[in-house]
Every structure is written in C-alpha cells, then in structure tokens.
Amino acid sequence: AIDESSPFNGASSSVFDRNPDASNSHDVEKTSSDLLSPALPPLTSEEYNPKFISEQIHKMAGYNQGRKIGQAHSNIKNRKRFERKWDFESVRLALDDYERHLQYVLDHLQRGSSNHSTDAKDLFANIHPSKDKCFETHRLLSSSTVSKAARALTRSRMDTPLLSRRIRDMERLVGKIGWTPITEELSYRLLEANGKAGNVRRTLALLELRRSRGYPPREQENGKYKGANLHISPGEKEFLHAITSIQSAQLPLRRSRNIYLHESTFSESALDNPTRYLDAILINMSKRGVSLRPEMAARMLDCYASTGRTGRAIHYFYKVRRDPVEDDGTYIPGPHPTHLGKDGLEDWKTSKRGEGVARALTTNTSEITSKGLDDDASKEGELGLNVLDEDEDEKQSSMPTQSNRRTKIRMAMQPLPPFHKIPSSVKGVPLIRNRYQPIPNEGPSKATGTRSDEIQNKTMTKYEWELDRDWSLALTAAFAFADSLTHGACGHDPIELDVVGWNILIKACCRRGAIHRALKILNETMPQKGIEPDTYSYNTVLAALARVGDTRYLQEYLIGMTNKGIRVDKYTAQAMVDGFLNVGDIQGATSLVQDIFNQHDTLPPYTSHLKIIEFALANGLIFEAKRHVYFIQQLWKWQPSQHHNQAFCQLMEETKSNPKLSKEALLKLFHYFGEDLSEQDFF
C-alpha cells in the first residue's frame, strides 16, 4: 500500500500540487531535509548542475545506459542495435544526485516562499549565481526528465521495499515543488515504477487517472522487441504493471511467511486475498475497451499463488547438528550428553572410545586446490553450511568450527508428517475435523448444543475438508474469482481457462496444502474440460508431494506421467529427489537420478547432486556419497551420439563443465564433512 499523502494522488490534478495546503498535515511540516534520505547529504551550490544531471538521468533510463559492446564481441549474430552492459551502480548514483538536486530546488522555493509569483522564470532566477544553471532548472523539473527518472528507478536493481520508498520520496519532492505537469508519458512511467515497487493503491490510482483523462491503453513501445512479448496483446501492458504491483506487495509473504499462523490473522495490507484489487483492474480494462483473454486471466490468478506456502504444505524433516571433534582429530558420533556436566561427558566419551565408536577424521587437504572454487563448495545445498564460523584452523582442515573448535556436521531426522498431511495415507478415509483448523464461533444451537461441537464431531474426507471455505479463505476466493471469469466478470465476456490457468489453480491449492483438491483438478476437472495436463501440471503436484514426503504418490504420478507421454524435465527429477531425501531414503534418491537419466535423458539441477552427497555425508553414509560421486564421474565421461538431441547434448556439456561438480569441489565438500575422498575413488 502507499502513503495516501503523496502529492501525486488525485485524478483531477493537472500538475503536481505546489501549495503545501493541498497535502495532508504531516507532510506540511516536512522540509526538504526531512525528505532527504539519511544516506544522501544535502547538495551545495557548487555541486548544483541541472544540465549534467538531466543528461545523466536520460542516459540511465536508456537500455543499459548507452554502452556499446567491445570489439571482441563485434561478430555476435543478431545483436540488438544498442547492446550494452548493465551498470546498475551508475543508475543508483545518478538517481541519488537527481534526488539531491530536487531537494536543492525545494529548499530554494521554501526560502523564497514570500515571493507569490507564479512565473517559473522569476521563481528560479536566483536559484544559482549562474544564469545558465537557472535556465536549466526548467529542464530538471520537466515531465520528460521526471518520467526518465521513474524509468531509471525500474532499472536500478533495488530491493522492492527500498524501491517503494524511493519512488514515493521522489513523488513527494516533485509534488512539493509543484511545477511538473502530469503527461501521458509521465503517468505511464509512474505506473510502471509503482507497479514494480508494489505500491498497489498508487498504481490503481494512476490507472484511474489515465482512464479519466482519456489516455489510450499503452501498447508495446514503438514496436521494439517485437516477437519477444507475443503473450502481450494490444492495450494490456499497463494492466500487467498493475498485476505486478500486487505480486510485488506480496513479497514479504513469499519471503518470510509465518507458517504457524492461520491466514485469517494476516492484515489486509499483506494482500493474502487480492480479489478487490483484481476487480478494480478488470473494471478499468472494461471501461477502456480492453478485452480479457485467458492469458491475462492466468496472470491475475497467479496473484493467489504468490503468497508463499502455509503450514499445511510444509513439514520440517530434519535438523542440522554440529558435534565437536576432539583435539586429537577423533570424532564420537552424537548426540553428546552435555547435560551430564564436564565429568559425566568425559566418562561418556571414555566409554564410547572403549566401544570402538570413535573414529579419526581426515585432516589432509593437500589434494584440494582453491583455483576456481568459492570459500564453501556446498553453499548451494540444503544444510545451511555456508553460515558456519571460520577461523585459521578451518581454512586448513576445510571443516566448520564453533567457538574455535572443529565440528562435525550431523543430520538429525525428525518424525514424519502426521498421516493427515500425506495424501496417499488418507485417500477417501473419513476424518474428524483437523485439530489445526480453527472452528468458527457461530453461537449455540438449541437442539444439539453448540455449533462448534457439531463441526468438531463431523466426519469428512480430506478432499471435502479442503473444499470447505474455512480451510483457506484465499483459496476459496481464488476459485470464486476464476468462476466469475467464466461467467463474465466486471463487464467482460465469459472466457474459458486454458491449461495455464488451471495449472495456476493447482499451484494455489498446493501452496495452501489442499493437495487432494489439486489432484482432483489434475485427474478429473482438466480432462473433463478437454484440457490435457502438461509437464508443469505434474511438476507442481510432485513438488507438493515431495514437501510432505509422500513417496508412494510420487512414484505413482511419475509412472502416470510417463505413460501419458508427458516429458520429464529437470524439475521433475528435482521433485523426486527432494521427496526421497526428505524421508531419509538416500539410496533411493541416488538410484532414481540414475534411472531418470537412463530412461528419460534428463538430469536434475546440479544443486540436487550436491544435496544427495550432503545428505549421505551428514547421515554417515560415506559409501552412498561415493556412489553418487561415481555417477557424476560417469557424466564426465559421457559422449554424444546420433540418438541424442541438441538440448540434451547442451545439458550434458553444462553439467560436465560445472565447477560445482568438479573434482576439486567434490574433494572440498568431502573434507568439509571430515571425510576422505582419495584418488582411488576417481577413474
């Protein structure tokens, strides 16, 4: 959401409000120093150069800042006319300087507030001793320069919250100065920037402003990049920015959603249910004569699947432990009974040594070369190894340390999910209401006691529970919104969802833990409507099953997928590997990767290979880890044949040349876990 005090607000304003009385009271008290970012010092008179900064802003708004490619790359085929390197740091510096110049102008106007002249020439005549700089101030505040500044903001690669604050600060500064008229180009660039920043209400206000002024819906820019955006029809571009604003505002939910809270506890600003904003976009489209297509409907439905996963869709299968390594280099597998005290712990260690449990860990790192490697070869894995402390001993031994003592990474497997979370365990079985699901208090019933007792004692199948509106209000809203589109919503003609739209509904179900509902769409709804599920349909379901460790359904749906001739890709293999590793079946994960490679000519992402090795080493399965290393070596020796297509050959070449899967990286990974990988383990 946006700050409603923004001086840009109001569809009836033809220029930015110069009169401070037009803004809310808390903005009236703000001076240019208050609006100045803490990281930006005020501009001095000697630094004021409006001509230069205007040229810089126009340059930074261009594609990759006007830098041509070097002569070494002059023979690249089909290069764009102005192919350049993206220098986002230069964009940020130019925007900082532009904001400082605006603050300098605002300071001048506030000091000369006794001058009631409405002529810009008189107001800016004494802004600087140089007459040329006084004249160039008009260019600094022109609609063209402000629109270029908004355009440059979208190319600055700022984090979304920071981008949101910067665009609002710039709007306030320009609005307080009050000499920049809102043009068609400026309104569109502000719409684009606010959309990327996640300022939903501001974006919708700009959409309404453009409609009220009769601006036509923006087309693809001057025919540029024709063919790259075939999914965008005439007039849809600015509405896509509005949809992007909703998904950008949902970023906190995707990044750090509290899975232990029910969705009803989230505030409206979290946009867990974006129906009202999507309706506003549909109404604006209808009033401006832009028809709704299935592709656009799918983009809108994706807003319901962009809010992260709830607790029903997630289970924590393991924890990472760090056991201390003795000073003599021996390791005693944990957990260590530290609650016994120092003497009791020493007695426990002595008994374990007597049982022959203790073993020596490798400390030889002479075989490891650091050329071409990062500080932590396993940082792409799932064990969080890159956050461990480092010291001089760790650099020598390649093992993590804690409190200046070497530690051994160990994985402690957690209990499996409750049976009601695993779809294959509750298929068609009647269940008592889930104790994790809140029971609405609708008052007592005279006949049978309380309404809560009736709901608590009611039995349904898991699928029927997932259909209940109390399972997820946002998911219920998603299906209601999709149903309204098929009947004609907000003045649009009825449409039928395509495979992309149904895939997004499957994704929304999986994110809310309604896997049975997703399977119903996959197995029955889509075939009844004459729509064949594709690879994305199955991959979405497989990923959801993997997160709850349902290996039975994983295997069944992989077989069904291949029987229907649907292509198996790297994300299919990744979901299968994750599912088997989550339940601790490391041997099955390794065998699965080999089977998929042999039967379907595909491989999971390289992070899955590292994950298998890390799981094996963290669980003490050294030979399983070496078994997968042997498979990776087979990939190194692979040679193409006439039966392999170009895409598969490219995949194999990328895998063979991946530095994360090189011999040096594997050696370092094993030594990180205190295990030895010698030359005898390689071909």
Side-chain angles (χ1 to χ4, degrees):
I2 67 164
D3 188 345
E4 289 297 320
S5 64
S6 172
F8 280 70
N9 260 338
S12 60
S13 176
S14 59
V15 296
F16 298 109
D17 298 324
R18 179 170 177 260
N19 183 5
D21 296 333
S23 300
N24 289 349
S25 58
H26 67 275
D27 258 0
V28 174
E29 302 299 329
K30 286 184 178 180
T31 64
S32 62
S33 299
D34 297 325
L35 295 175
L36 184 63
S37 173
L40 301 180
L43 195 72
T44 63
S45 176
E46 291 76 12
E47 294 175 317
Y48 185 69
N49 192 344
K51 180 179 180 180
F52 173 77
I53 194 60
S54 297
E55 293 175 349
Q56 282 294 104
I57 287 296
H58 279 71
K59 182 179 180 180
M60 295 301 113
Y63 182 76
N64 289 351
Q65 304 89 48
R67 294 172 178 247
K68 294 184 178 180
I69 62 174
Q71 294 295 328
H73 304 282
S74 59
N75 59 348
I76 296 178
K77 296 181 179 180
N78 300 325
R79 66 174 185 174
K80 298 182 179 66
R81 181 181 177 186
F82 299 106
E83 191 168 2
R84 313 160 182 106
K85 184 178 180 181
W86 185 10
D87 186 6
F88 59 89
E89 288 294 341
S90 297
V91 181
R92 295 178 182 178
L93 291 175
L95 288 170
D96 290 346
D97 289 340
Y98 181 68
E99 186 175 333
R100 295 172 65 204
H101 277 71
L102 292 179
Q103 291 156 356
Y104 181 88
V105 174
L106 181 58
D107 273 339
H108 170 76
L109 293 178
Q110 290 176 340
R111 288 194 300 267
S113 57
S114 58
N115 184 3
H116 299 288
S117 174
T118 58
D119 189 358
K121 183 177 181 181
D122 296 336
L123 283 174
F124 301 135
N126 299 321
I127 195 171
H128 195 273
S130 172
K131 297 299 181 181
D132 293 337
K133 292 185 177 181
C134 293
F135 178 78
E136 289 296 334
T137 303
H138 302 278
R139 183 182 178 187
L140 186 74
L141 301 175
S142 66
S143 299
S144 174
T145 303
V146 177
S147 64
K148 293 295 184 182
R151 176 74 163 169
L153 273 171
T154 63
R155 303 189 172 198
S156 59
R157 197 184 281 181
M158 294 182 186
D159 197 26
T160 302
L162 177 60
L163 179 62
S164 175
R165 183 180 64 82
R166 291 296 297 268
I167 183 62
R168 287 182 291 173
D169 288 348
M170 190 184 74
E171 286 181 339
R172 292 190 187 101
L173 282 170
V174 176
K176 282 183 173 292
I177 295 173
W179 290 100
T180 305
I182 298 182
T183 61
E184 192 278 337
E185 175 69 15
L186 178 56
S187 65
Y188 175 75
R189 293 306 174 191
L190 291 174
L191 172 69
E192 180 185 30
N194 280 282
K196 189 173 183 179
N199 299 331
V200 181
R201 294 163 61 192
R202 180 74 188 119
T203 303
L204 296 179
L206 287 166
L207 270 182
E208 181 60 24
L209 182 143
R210 290 176 60 82
R211 185 202 64 80
S212 63
R213 295 194 175 187
Y215 295 151
R218 180 62 72 100
E219 305 287 343
Q220 191 71 8
E221 295 180 22
N222 302 324
K224 289 183 179 180
Y225 316 120
K226 188 175 182 181
N229 292 300
L230 295 178
H231 59 284
I232 300 179
S233 289
E236 290 182 346
K237 192 172 182 183
E238 60 187 73
F239 300 104
L240 290 175
H241 292 316
I243 296 173
T244 301
S245 70
I246 298 175
Q247 294 178 318
S248 297
Q250 293 170 334
L251 183 62
L253 285 178
R254 293 197 297 276
R255 282 181 172 176
S256 56
R257 184 186 185 105
N258 190 338
I259 65 172
Y260 300 104
L261 295 179
H262 191 262
E263 62 185 47
S264 60
T265 61
F266 292 110
S267 64
E268 185 183 350
S269 61
L271 294 185
D272 200 42
N273 182 2
T275 302
R276 58 179 295 194
Y277 301 107
L278 295 176
D279 286 341
I281 296 174
L282 285 174
I283 292 173
N284 195 286
M285 290 176 61
S286 177
K287 290 181 178 179
R288 299 173 71 183
V290 179
S291 59
L292 179 65
R293 299 185 304 121
E295 293 81 1
M296 194 70 171
R299 295 289 294 268
M300 291 183 171
L301 287 173
D302 196 34
C303 295
Y304 293 95
S306 302
T307 56
R309 295 177 175 86
T310 64
R312 293 190 178 102
I314 296 176
H315 181 75
Y316 294 108
F317 290 88
Y318 59 88
K319 291 183 178 180
V320 177
R321 306 294 189 188
R322 287 181 287 183
D323 294 335
V325 178
E326 302 304 312
D327 295 336
D328 58 357
T330 59
Y331 165 65
I332 303 176
H336 289 210
T338 55
H339 62 281
L340 299 178
K342 184 176 181 180
D343 294 337
L345 182 60
E346 289 299 327
D347 293 339
W348 176 84
K349 290 181 180 179
T350 303
S351 64
K352 290 295 182 181
R353 290 176 185 271
E355 296 173 4
V357 176
R359 61 188 182 90
L361 297 180
T362 178
T363 58
N364 180 23
T365 60
S366 59
E367 298 176 354
I368 303 176
T369 60
S370 59
K371 183 178 180 180
L373 295 177
D374 297 332
D375 290 337
D376 186 359
S378 63
K379 66 181 179 180
E380 298 292 344
E382 298 292 330
L383 300 183
L385 306 179
N386 57 320
V387 300
L388 301 177
D389 300 330
E390 290 185 359
D391 62 4
E392 206 57 40
D393 291 335
E394 180 185 354
K395 294 178 182 178
Q396 296 176 4
S397 66
S398 298
M399 292 187 65
T401 62
Q402 186 177 21
S403 301
N404 296 325
R405 187 173 184 178
R406 286 192 300 156
T407 58
K408 176 76 167 64
I409 297 295
R410 177 175 59 86
M411 181 181 293
M413 301 302 294
Q414 299 285 90
L416 293 178
F419 80 100
H420 59 78
K421 262 191 172 184
I422 305 175
S424 62
S425 299
V426 294
K427 181 180 179 181
V429 178
L431 302 173
I432 301 296
R433 185 181 181 89
N434 191 333
R435 65 185 179 92
Y436 297 105
Q437 191 168 345
I439 301 175
N441 186 10
E442 301 181 8
S445 172
K446 296 180 180 179
T448 59
T450 63
R451 171 65 175 165
S452 298
D453 291 338
E454 293 179 5
I455 296 177
Q456 184 69 50
N457 297 325
K458 190 175 183 180
T459 60
M460 289 184 177
T461 62
K462 184 68 181 298
Y463 172 70
E464 291 172 334
W465 281 126
E466 293 173 357
L467 289 178
D468 192 273
R469 65 185 300 272
D470 292 327
W471 177 272
S472 172
L473 294 176
L475 186 59
T476 302
F479 278 88
F481 182 77
D483 188 62
S484 68
L485 297 180
T486 61
H487 291 83
C490 302
H492 291 275
D493 295 331
I495 64 169
E496 290 294 333
L497 297 181
D498 57 4
V499 64
V500 179
W502 286 110
N503 285 345
I504 291 175
L505 287 177
I506 292 176
K507 178 182 175 182
C509 291
C510 292
R511 294 292 175 91
R512 306 283 173 168
I515 302 180
H516 286 277
R517 198 170 184 178
L519 296 177
K520 186 80 169 181
I521 296 174
L522 180 70
N523 297 328
E524 299 182 19
T525 306
M526 294 178 69
Q528 288 173 0
K529 294 184 176 294
I531 300 175
E532 290 296 329
D534 58 7
T535 302
Y536 187 89
S537 311
Y538 278 90
N539 285 350
T540 305
V541 170
L542 292 176
L545 294 172
R547 289 185 176 274
V548 295
D550 195 345
T551 55
R552 176 185 169 188
Y553 265 10
L554 278 172
Q555 292 173 313
E556 288 186 10
Y557 277 89
L558 178 63
I559 293 173
M561 182 179 182
T562 56
N563 289 343
K564 293 180 180 179
I566 299 176
R567 183 175 60 89
V568 174
D569 63 7
K570 63 179 182 179
Y571 299 110
T572 311
Q574 182 183 38
M576 298 296 297
V577 169
D578 289 345
F580 277 80
L581 291 180
N582 282 339
V583 298
D585 189 358
I586 302 171
Q587 180 181 0
T590 303
S591 300
L592 188 66
V593 171
Q594 298 177 12
D595 292 342
I596 291 179
F597 174 74
N598 294 327
Q599 298 177 21
H600 304 286
D601 288 345
T602 190
L603 287 170
Y606 78 93
T607 52
S608 294
H609 297 291
L610 297 178
K611 189 174 181 180
I612 291 174
I613 298 175
E614 289 176 2
F615 266 66
L617 294 174
N619 284 279
L621 303 177
I622 312 304
F623 290 102
E624 278 299 324
K626 291 184 177 182
R627 177 188 169 203
H628 199 74
V629 169
Y630 184 83
F631 172 69
I632 293 176
Q633 294 179 70
Q634 289 179 318
L635 300 181
W636 296 345
K637 302 295 184 180
W638 179 88
Q639 295 296 330
S641 68
Q642 59 181 358
H643 305 290
H644 297 121
N645 57 36
Q646 183 178 0
F648 179 66
C649 294
Q650 182 179 359
L651 169 66
M652 292 302 301
E653 292 300 326
E654 292 174 353
T655 303
K656 291 164 63 176
S657 60
N658 193 326
K660 300 290 186 178
L661 299 178
S662 64
K663 179 180 178 180
E664 292 78 10
L666 295 176
L667 286 170
K668 186 173 183 180
L669 179 58
F670 268 72
H671 281 280
Y672 189 87
F673 284 87
E675 305 298 342
D676 185 29
L677 189 65
S678 63
E679 288 291 340
Q680 297 177 354
D681 297 314
F682 291 93
F683 293 158

